[in-house]
Amino acid sequence: MLGVIGGSGFYSFFGPEARSVDLDTPYGAPSGPVTLGLVGDHEVAFLPRHGAGHEYSAHTVPYRANMWALRAVGVRRIFAPCAVGSLTPQWGPGTVVVPDQLVDRTRGRDDTYFDSGGVHVEFADPYCPMLRAAVTGRPDVVDGATMVVIQGPRFSTRAESRWFAAAGFGLINMTGYPEAVLARELEMCYAAIALVTDLDAGVEVGSGVRTVDVFAEFTRNIGPFKTLVRAAIDRVAPERSCTHCLAHEGVELPFELP
């Protein structure tokens, strides 16, 4: 089964024919019910990252519960659409970018399932190459960028934004971590699909990021963005063959994966 985690403004993916499943996990309840439906020949599980009504801000999203719930219903490969700011002037609002690296600038988030057992997870390349390829083959998608993930809920100062841009980061986001590493710990393939909603504070003199503008831009693009996600799903092979994201080969885990 494939999974889709919807970001800000991406709260639904199926029509009324979808089946909704309420789940609980050892880490509490996920952000909302998981809905199950079909995209082409693929069975797909959808979960709104922030809740169906955006009840959770980026720093309060129950990331561990979300990822555990998706694996529990059978998901092994995940597309993660998200809203991002651009730190690169040529990537204006409406641009779709598939990052290939991330930098964690969050703090205090529960970012592992292995609080015991001495398990270490390889994470040099945080995104699944096969899932990335299913999206980056489209001519209207930018292939590759480093996404810096900040704590939120506030946006960056202008100095912070310029600092991130000077370091070579291309995108800025609040939810891409710990989602990606939790997927790796659960041996699920994971790829982010980033929709640029704004130029960050340091990119343009006099500009700044406002929540109302971010949501307005996402709303303007949500139709084509969902179409792109469905097209990516159609390009995914029926059977999973990726070994890149199988992080625990030869390792004895302190618990069984769901």
Side-chain angles (χ1 to χ4, degrees):
M1 186 183 295
L2 293 176
V4 174
I5 303 175
S8 298
F10 197 147
Y11 306 123
S12 64
F13 196 51
F14 302 114
E17 74 283 355
R19 179 167 60 95
S20 181
V21 180
D22 289 305
L23 296 164
D24 197 11
T25 79
Y27 306 95
S31 297
V34 176
T35 54
L36 307 176
L38 291 175
V39 176
D41 295 329
H42 287 287
E43 188 175 14
V44 176
F46 175 79
L47 178 64
R49 181 182 291 116
H50 297 279
H54 207 102
E55 301 95 315
Y56 297 96
S57 189
H59 67 298
T60 63
V61 169
Y63 294 102
R64 290 196 296 182
N66 285 353
M67 306 308 283
W68 190 276
L70 288 172
R71 171 141 183 140
V73 299
V75 169
R76 296 297 181 269
R77 296 176 287 182
I78 296 173
F79 285 116
C82 58
V84 299
S86 172
L87 295 163
T88 306
Q90 62 265 34
W91 297 342
T95 304
V96 176
V97 185
V98 180
D100 58 353
Q101 280 294 322
L102 70 79
V103 171
D104 171 31
R105 293 289 300 171
T106 66
R107 59 188 182 276
R109 297 186 181 186
D110 293 324
D111 61 355
T112 183
Y113 295 105
F114 299 115
D115 292 321
S116 63
V119 178
H120 303 277
V121 177
E122 187 277 325
F123 200 53
D125 296 296
Y127 302 112
C128 173
M130 291 188 173
L131 289 187
R132 290 190 71 258
V135 193
T136 57
R138 297 177 59 88
D140 52 347
V141 172
V142 177
D143 181 359
T146 295
M147 182 168 71
V148 57
V149 184
I150 62 173
Q151 175 69 4
R154 69 168 179 85
F155 295 114
S156 297
T157 67
R158 200 176 304 282
E160 288 169 333
S161 179
R162 289 171 177 161
W163 177 37
F164 296 146
F169 309 152
L171 305 172
I172 187 166
N173 166 265
M174 296 181 187
T175 58
Y177 188 90
E179 210 171 77
V181 72
L182 293 174
R184 184 65 54 86
E185 288 193 347
L186 293 179
E187 293 195 322
M188 295 189 291
C189 295
Y190 177 97
I193 308 175
L195 174 64
V196 174
T197 58
D198 59 272
L199 294 176
D200 211 54
V203 176
E204 283 188 331
V205 174
S207 68
V209 185
R210 299 190 311 158
T211 300
V212 63
D213 297 329
V214 169
F215 280 96
E217 185 63 32
F218 207 101
T219 298
R220 278 192 291 271
N221 289 280
I222 189 62
F225 196 40
K226 286 183 178 180
T227 298
L228 184 149
V229 174
R230 291 189 177 98
I233 291 171
D234 284 336
R235 297 186 63 184
V236 174
E239 298 297 327
R240 181 189 186 191
S241 59
C242 172
T243 58
H244 174 83
C245 302
L246 301 180
H248 305 310
E249 185 176 0
V251 176
E252 183 176 350
L253 301 182
F255 56 83
E256 289 188 8
L257 300 183

